[in-house]
Amino acid sequence: MHKLSAPIRPYRETDNCTVLALIDADRLPGQPACTPGMLEHALDGRSPIDSRWWEELQPPRTNVLLDGEGLLTGAVSYAIRPRDEAGLLLWMHCREDHAAAGALLRHALDQLGPRTNFAFECASALTFGVEGLSARHRATTREVLQRAGFTTRDLRRYIQSPLPLTGLPLMAAYSTGPVHKPPGRRLQVRDGDEVVAEAVIGNPFDGIAVLRWLHVTSSAQRQGMGRALLGSAVDLLAGLGATQVIGYVDDDDPRDPERDRTAANALYDSVGFTEVDRLLSFTRLPE
């Protein structure tokens, strides 16, 4: 067992405001401020994104780090997944202080024990769907994980654009219906009984909306349908009160035709989306 350099204790309700401030200090552009309700869900091991993934976990344990004066300087949450006995580092915040990140990670690994451990595998309730650790904005945490023996997997691109987006065409006809988990809308274009293009958007929260999915079948590509469906999706979001839209593009393996997002990235870049960061996950095998 590692000897801790600073006191670590379980999270208490009285820590709420300080932990929220730590989370917001790491907030990415395009993310809303973390609310007490979002933190409560994360502490309970619940999330509106990938809820089934979270249901597989044992109840998370959340601990906080104190400095020499007894002030709370960091927080970490972790859990075990019974189906494969893996350990999961769920989230960690410490204002990107190197010593604090090291102490929190050592504590989590000590508690999880000798097993395969994953870090930042899935989106928590603390964010608007950020799945992974931001490579540039959380560079200190990334370095601490890598020095502790974690290997890195590049998951996806995190992009953002202000709304409205001008100059985009609109689909002449599409159907739309609700999506419930998380709440949003689905836009579909059909050719007879076949869905040839589809977009899924999340309802705006605090002026921010998420473009969750945009897909055009191979038979309908190169006809401008993706651009027009994107135009209709962001037009609908602006009409719902969104002032900015974010998106996550899983372009981690362009060599795989099923995961090649070259055309999608070219479309997003051409209409005004900018890359905020890359999102990473981490794996550490037992020694």
Side-chain angles (χ1 to χ4, degrees), residues 186-224:
R186 186 188 310 276
L187 292 72
Q188 291 185 332
V189 180
R190 293 179 176 271
D191 182 3
D193 293 333
E194 180 188 5
V195 176
V196 295
E198 182 178 69
V200 178
I201 55 178
N203 290 342
F205 175 77
D206 200 21
I208 302 166
V210 183
L211 176 66
R212 300 199 180 280
W213 172 254
L214 179 68
H215 177 70
V216 179
T217 62
S218 57
S219 62
Q221 290 176 5
R222 305 182 190 280
Q223 301 175 31

Side-chain angles (χ1 to χ4, degrees), residues 79-130:
I80 291 174
R81 184 168 56 202
R83 69 169 167 82
D84 58 1
E85 288 300 312
L88 285 301
L89 185 115
L90 303 170
W91 51 272
M92 183 169 78
H93 294 280
C94 56
R95 298 183 186 274
E96 289 301 275
D97 180 87
H98 195 280
L104 290 165
L105 180 59
R106 289 193 297 272
H107 172 77
L109 292 177
D110 282 344
Q111 295 299 305
L112 290 169
R115 64 181 73 237
T116 298
N117 288 301
F118 301 99
F120 300 95
E121 277 282 296
C122 208
S124 76
L126 301 177
T127 66
F128 212 12
V130 176

Side-chain angles (χ1 to χ4, degrees), residues 18-27 34 39 91 93 126-127:
T18 306
V19 172
L20 283 172
L22 288 172
I23 295 166
D24 279 343
D26 292 332
R27 181 157 43 111
C34 186
L39 177 56
W91 51 272
H93 294 280
L126 301 177
T127 66

Side-chain angles (χ1 to χ4, degrees), residues 151-187:
T151 57
T152 304
R153 179 185 170 203
D154 190 342
L155 287 178
R156 52 187 46 82
R157 198 179 179 225
Y158 173 43
I159 58 176
Q160 177 194 27
S161 175
L163 291 179
L165 272 173
T166 58
L168 277 172
L170 302 178
M171 286 298 304
Y174 64 88
S175 62
T176 182
V179 175
H180 300 292
K181 288 187 177 182
R185 307 288 297 178
R186 186 188 310 276
L187 292 72

Side-chain angles (χ1 to χ4, degrees), residues 4 8 14 62 69 85 134 151 178 185 227 234 281:
L4 299 175
I8 292 181
T14 52
T62 303
E69 298 179 355
E85 288 300 312
S134 53
T151 57
R185 307 288 297 178
R227 183 175 293 267
V234 296
S281 69

